[in-house]
Amino acid sequence: MNQMASKSFVSEGSLYNASQPIGMVLEIAGSGSQIAIDLERLAQCAEDTDPSIALAGQVGSQIKIKTKDGWLLASVRNQRQDRRGDGNAVLANIDFMGEGQEERLTGKIHGFRRGVTRYPIPGALVYPATTDDLRQIYASDGRSAIQVGTVYPTTEIRAGIYIDAFLGKHFALLGSTGTGKSTSAALLLHRICQAAPQGHIVMIDPHGEYSAAFRNTGTIFDVSNLQMPYWLMNFEEHCEVLLRSTGNDLQEDKDILAKCLLAARYKNRLAQTMGKITVDSPIPYLISDLTNMLQDEMGKLDKATTSAPYMRIKTKIDELKADPRYQFMFSGMLVGDTMATFISRIFRMPGDGKPISIIDVSGVPSDITSTVVAVLSRMVFDFAIWGRNEKTRPILLVCEEAHRYVPNEKNADGSSVGRILSRIAKEGRKYGISLGLITQRPSDLAEGVLSQCGTIISMRLNNDRDQAFVKAAMPEGARGFLDSIPALRNRECIICGEGVSIPIRVAFDNLEEAKRPASEDPSFVDLWSECGGEEEQVERVVQRWRSQGS
């Protein structure tokens, strides 16, 4: 009986707090305005059982303002004490998020939409936004969406991301190391795979973290089974792998390589049936044909011309063939025309219920890692371009540690991977390619690339430069949310852009153990308190170290 009485009292308290104003509008501007909030009312609301009302008026919370036609929703960006009055008011800047109509009988919000058509006037009353209001505001508008967590500060309103808008205009997932970024990326990709089991997703995984997360729902490729034929490289990628010279020597080496590579490609029967090919055409050729061409060209030299450039290229090719670490790419077994098979495997066409391929490049020698990523990214782009007349099969390319591959001008090394990923960011969506960038250092990303991402998911960023960089890339209305980026807890994020109706703060769902990436930080205390078997472990590691790649 008492419990029922207390419940009705609680609901009456909530009804009272929701129906009574907490302040008024002082000043109106285009994107944001200033309000004054009554401190006494703030204290009353803070005791409310509805978490949305309890936070009303605080930084990052939502409030609503009465207008002639309905309600305006805004988020609170900052607070400061009003020193001019009697000390009972707080001044706050707000950012408008959108508007909705008012139900005549209940006074609730319905028909919420982004943007503002009619601004309130100074003196308009400000009310707390309730959980019911937020449920209306964050309700799906009917487009297909994936559920990724709960909307802060509520515990039951589900946060959805509109999948077509999210993938159609690229996305970025940002967050400092240790904020749960890898687990959140795995959660997003698992939800996308559930929504589209016949999808085509390629993920570049530089640390081998995601193999554990997608063992059952994806196909894992690493140096043991990638089998990426060397002849798929275009001329620029060949130069990155085979040429080490600089200045005038580099141009001379390029000219020699172009001539010999084209001649080697022409030797294939496939080239002879096609008529005209270029040095970039993905036509299989024998490495021995390329070295023979270099040898022949060297034999034609007169005494005055040096053979050094020919020897440089030939020596490098011999090194690659002999080094077991490069066998996944330069094996003599990869000379057959396996291009269609390779594309089908990597792009999951057909997917056989495993729509994601994880490309673990952690075992690839560091000097050619960026070239391998460049080849895979360019294959995605070229496949989409040459498939324009076919039924479009969109491909999602996800790039972890994206700042390594598309660095800003200060860190740029002129590699082909930066150029191809920048091109996909600018032009990919015309051809049905979606790009997902994951990074802990957004300020090290190329400037134009982040601005091409239609949806930005920002977890906690500890670095001031990163915070400023992300704020510059985000839409104006999200500023109130952005100020809370340094205060986000682990696995919390701000989502804004095309994938959501309005900016939201989200607590990501928990992911089952079997679906998590292997990115947990080791516990030093636990691991250093164990002992035994160290000598055997060292022996095994040394054995693997010495036999790498073979």
Side-chain angles (χ1 to χ4, degrees):
M1 179 73 182
N2 285 351
Q3 275 184 333
M4 285 176 66
S6 68
K7 271 187 185 171
S8 71
F9 175 76
V10 163
S11 61
E12 279 169 23
S14 283
L15 285 170
Y16 172 80
N17 281 330
S19 62
Q20 297 302 307
I22 57 169
M24 62 189 280
V25 174
L26 294 181
E27 181 188 338
I28 291 292
S31 59
S33 305
Q34 193 178 69
I35 59 172
I37 306 170
D38 185 293
L39 271 175
E40 201 175 306
R41 285 288 293 123
L42 265 188
Q44 286 173 354
C45 287
E47 301 295 318
D48 205 290
T49 53
D50 182 330
S52 305
I53 295 176
L55 279 177
Q58 295 183 26
V59 173
S61 69
Q62 280 81 50
I63 48 100
K64 59 185 184 182
I65 300 165
K66 195 84 184 73
T67 64
K68 184 171 180 291
D69 305 327
W71 293 102
L72 263 183
L73 192 88
S75 73
V76 178
R77 195 193 320 158
N78 54 33
Q79 286 182 342
R80 67 183 181 282
Q81 193 173 3
D82 183 5
R83 299 193 182 281
R84 294 167 303 179
D86 55 6
N88 276 342
V90 168
L91 299 180
N93 288 96
I94 58 171
D95 295 307
F96 293 120
M97 299 165 74
E99 60 191 359
Q101 278 102 38
E102 180 182 26
E103 279 183 7
R104 283 289 160 83
L105 292 173
T106 61
K108 288 181 179 176
I109 295 176
H110 73 98
F112 181 82
R113 63 182 185 273
R114 208 172 183 165
V116 180
T117 51
R118 188 167 189 153
Y119 286 98
I121 55 171
L125 295 176
V126 173
Y127 293 82
T130 67
T131 295
D132 280 343
D133 292 333
L134 296 185
R135 192 175 281 112
Q136 279 293 317
I137 288 154
Y138 295 119
S140 172
D141 61 9
R143 290 181 283 169
S144 57
I146 51 170
Q147 309 272 309
V148 293
T150 50
V151 176
Y152 177 86
T154 72
T155 51
E156 77 270 18
I157 296 178
R158 299 294 289 150
I161 299 177
Y162 298 122
I163 192 164
D164 285 339
F166 179 63
L167 298 180
K169 296 194 177 158
H170 310 318
F171 69 89
L173 172 60
L174 319 167
S176 294
T177 304
T179 55
K181 192 170 71 282
S182 301
T183 310
S184 305
L187 172 73
L188 282 168
L189 291 173
H190 277 301
R191 294 285 194 267
I192 293 169
C193 289
Q194 284 165 9
Q198 300 304 319
H200 312 288
I201 305 169
V202 179
M203 180 179 208
I204 311 292
D205 176 12
H207 302 304
E209 292 177 314
Y210 292 88
S211 305
F214 293 94
R215 193 163 284 121
N216 300 322
T217 50
T219 310
I220 317 300
F221 295 98
D222 56 21
V223 289
S224 68
N225 67 345
L226 184 59
Q227 294 176 314
M228 187 172 90
Y230 56 87
W231 49 262
L232 282 177
M233 292 190 292
N234 65 14
F235 178 61
E236 184 184 8
E237 291 148 4
H238 269 89
C239 291
E240 281 184 358
V241 174
L242 299 179
L243 307 184
R244 287 288 175 267
S245 45
T246 53
N248 293 338
D249 286 349
L250 178 60
Q251 192 51 54
E252 189 181 1
D253 289 5
K254 279 185 173 182
D255 294 342
I256 291 166
L257 181 59
K259 185 177 180 183
C260 296
L261 179 58
L262 185 58
R265 289 202 198 272
Y266 259 121
K267 285 203 130 192
N268 190 298
R269 280 205 309 272
L270 195 61
Q272 289 155 19
T273 61
M274 294 175 70
K276 190 159 178 55
I277 64 164
T278 71
V279 73
D280 287 330
S281 301
I283 304 287
Y285 70 88
L286 290 167
I287 293 253
S288 56
D289 281 343
L290 179 56
T291 50
N292 289 342
M293 292 294 168
L294 288 162
Q295 196 74 45
D296 292 349
E297 288 297 315
M298 205 161 42
K300 293 176 189 172
L301 297 176
D302 55 36
K303 290 279 193 310
T305 317
T306 175
S307 62
Y310 296 90
M311 288 308 298
R312 275 198 299 264
I313 303 171
K314 194 169 175 303
T315 307
K316 183 64 185 175
I317 293 170
D318 291 340
E319 275 175 26
L320 293 173
K321 278 174 66 181
D323 192 330
R325 294 174 305 153
Y326 296 87
Q327 286 295 294
F328 75 96
M329 196 170 177
F330 288 94
S331 161
M333 306 295 289
L334 296 173
V335 76
D337 183 11
T338 53
M339 187 171 175
T341 316
F342 181 76
I343 286 172
S344 296
R345 283 168 66 230
I346 300 296
F347 297 173
R348 313 307 304 137
M349 293 182 180
D352 297 324
K354 294 190 170 186
I356 184 167
S357 53
I358 304 292
I359 318 285
D360 173 1
V361 294
S362 60
V364 173
S366 56
D367 58 332
I368 64 162
T369 304
S370 68
T371 309
V372 169
V373 177
V375 174
L376 292 164
S377 307
R378 185 180 52 77
M379 296 289 287
V380 171
F381 191 69
D382 285 352
F383 181 79
I385 284 182
W386 294 107
R388 277 173 298 184
N389 299 333
E390 304 283 335
K391 178 184 171 190
T392 304
R393 294 199 180 274
I395 297 174
L396 167 60
L397 175 65
V398 184
C399 202
E400 172 71 270
E401 296 268 346
H403 59 277
R404 282 169 48 170
Y405 305 119
V406 254
N408 56 21
E409 279 179 33
K410 191 177 73 178
N411 302 319
D413 54 2
S415 64
S416 55
V417 68
R419 279 191 289 279
I420 186 61
L421 286 173
S422 295
R423 194 172 174 201
I424 289 174
K426 292 187 188 101
E427 304 171 36
R429 60 175 180 266
K430 298 179 206 163
Y431 304 110
I433 305 172
S434 178
L435 185 62
L437 300 176
I438 304 170
T439 178
Q440 69 264 37
R441 291 307 306 268
S443 59
D444 286 348
L445 269 179
E447 282 76 2
V449 171
L450 194 59
S451 60
Q452 297 287 341
C453 293
T455 307
I456 294 178
I457 302 171
S458 180
M459 304 183 81
R460 189 173 69 249
L461 290 165
N462 301 327
N463 183 293
D464 288 347
R465 207 156 55 95
D466 290 330
Q467 290 166 22
F469 193 77
V470 173
K471 284 181 186 179
M474 282 200 177
E476 194 78 352
R479 281 187 305 184
F481 286 87
L482 297 183
D483 290 333
S484 61
I485 282 178
L488 292 171
R489 290 178 294 214
N490 281 3
R491 295 186 35 259
E492 263 193 356
C493 70
I494 306 293
I495 308 177
C496 66
E498 303 288 338
V500 285
S501 301
I502 51 173
I504 48 175
R505 179 170 167 179
V506 173
F508 277 124
D509 288 339
N510 267 323
L511 201 53
E512 307 93 281
E513 192 74 43
K515 293 184 174 181
R516 285 184 205 161
S519 57
E520 295 292 312
D521 293 331
S523 164
F524 284 78
V525 174
D526 292 348
L527 294 173
W528 280 356
S529 60
E530 297 170 4
C531 62
E534 286 96 335
E535 295 97 332
E536 295 86 350
Q537 184 178 353
V538 171
E539 287 287 341
R540 288 195 300 274
V541 171
V542 169
Q543 182 65 36
R544 281 199 296 274
W545 195 340
R546 283 181 173 154
S547 63
Q548 56 187 304
S550 58

